[in-house]
Amino acid sequence: MRHNKKFNHLGRKKAHRDSMLANMTVSLILHKRIHTTLAKAKALRIYAEPLINRAKEDNTSNRRLVFSYLQSKEAVKELFGPISEKIANRPGGYTRILKTGFRLGDNAKTCFIELVDYNEAMLKDNKDAKAKTRRSRRKAAPAAEAAVENPVEEAAKENPELPAAE
């Protein structure tokens, strides 16, 4: 019976699934973003986020526990180094899944899974959105639009030596 077995088995036996998720977690930690299927990304988030949460407190027992799952010294060093500094104030939600469409061969849903604090493009957008605090109902000034319409006439007014536009 399948009582209380709700996680996605991904069509694999336990040993294969565990090693695949560990390898994907190592790749996510080292590269900060990986491209995979949506089902694997959702399973990876469940697997990786508790391990990333362990990195907030750097002690020997946490390092050993994370290493027992990942079996990669480089990934553990990266996780407890720069990644732990960036996630120190975040209460959870260390990964983001961005859907990218469908794979050509089998039409599987594909996506990117990435560490949230390492996507500079989205971080810049959030800072720009927060910088604008005042909402205005006024439209753009019409004088500025008129000046843009005839740049040749503007240049002729500023510099009389230029030939006038006919």
Side-chain angles (χ1 to χ4, degrees):
M1 285 192 242
R2 290 193 72 250
H3 294 310
N4 202 22
K5 296 183 179 180
K6 295 182 179 178
F7 64 92
N8 193 345
H9 295 279
L10 300 173
R12 291 162 172 82
K13 302 280 185 179
K14 181 179 177 15
H16 186 189
R17 186 174 54 249
D18 287 344
S19 63
M20 181 191 67
L21 291 174
N23 288 334
M24 289 176 70
T25 305
V26 169
S27 296
L28 179 65
I29 289 169
L30 295 179
H31 301 292
K32 312 302 187 263
R33 169 189 260 198
I34 58 174
H35 188 257
T36 184
T37 63
L38 186 62
K40 286 181 187 174
K42 287 180 178 180
L44 178 63
R45 180 175 15 187
I46 293 169
Y47 186 88
E49 290 213 1
L51 297 178
I52 295 171
N53 196 29
R54 289 271 178 184
K56 284 185 173 183
E57 185 181 348
D58 187 7
N59 56 31
T60 306
S61 62
N62 282 346
R63 281 181 178 264
R64 285 180 177 171
L65 188 122
V66 170
F67 181 76
S68 72
Y69 282 94
L70 301 182
Q71 297 294 315
S72 170
K73 289 182 181 179
E74 295 83 17
V76 172
K77 191 181 294 184
E78 180 78 15
L79 181 61
F80 282 88
I83 294 176
S84 68
E85 295 169 5
K86 285 206 171 192
I87 65 163
N89 299 330
R90 185 173 290 277
Y94 309 112
T95 58
R96 175 186 297 125
I97 295 177
L98 301 169
K99 296 177 184 173
T100 57
F102 299 94
R103 195 162 53 194
L104 286 178
D106 58 355
N107 209 28
K109 294 179 182 177
T110 57
C111 64
F112 281 109
I113 182 168
E114 65 184 6
L115 295 176
V116 171
D117 295 320
Y118 281 90
N119 189 343
E120 278 75 21
M122 291 192 121
L123 292 175
K124 288 178 186 175
D125 290 342
N126 288 342
K127 289 178 183 176
D128 293 342
K130 290 181 182 178
K132 184 179 178 183
T133 57
R134 182 177 168 269
R135 291 177 53 187
S136 175
R137 292 181 182 230
R138 286 191 301 174
K139 298 192 183 218
E145 292 175 5
V148 176
E149 289 178 10
N150 289 323
V152 177
E153 291 177 8
E154 286 293 322
K157 287 179 186 176
E158 292 174 4
N159 192 354
E161 297 174 4
L162 292 175
E166 296 180 23

